[in-house]
Amino acid sequence: MGADLITLETDREKYVIDFFGITTFGHIWLGASDEDVEGDWRWVATEERVPMTASYWQPGEPNDGVNSNHICLWKGIRYLWWDGSQSTPGYFFCELVTIN
């Protein structure tokens, strides 16, 4: 049994992580990247496309293809998404997949 960085597949999931993160942590890394194809954001656990909902992203994001290929919730701006470098310190949530 393994764990992956969390994927936010519904607005409800995003709300829960935003709320928990605001009260607990600073920056929170999500399980999404455009590392394979620039601009093609995918959840790493499922390979499904990340919704490019403008209200999720900070203004001007995503903006850097060379060094910033991972999505982070940024505490300073209402936990909007930004594309960051994996070398930036932060927290993360993981999810387990159970098989019956």
Side-chain angles (χ1 to χ4, degrees), residues 17-31:
I17 295 303
D18 289 354
F19 179 78
F20 187 74
I22 286 170
T23 60
T24 310
F25 301 106
H27 311 322
I28 301 170
W29 290 104
L30 302 179

Side-chain angles (χ1 to χ4, degrees), residues 6 8 10 17 20 31 34 36 48-49 65 73 77 82 87 91-92:
I6 195 164
L8 303 179
T10 67
I17 295 303
F20 187 74
D34 73 341
D36 292 335
E48 291 182 30
R49 287 182 180 243
L73 293 172
I77 306 180
W82 64 282
S87 63
Y91 294 92
F92 53 89

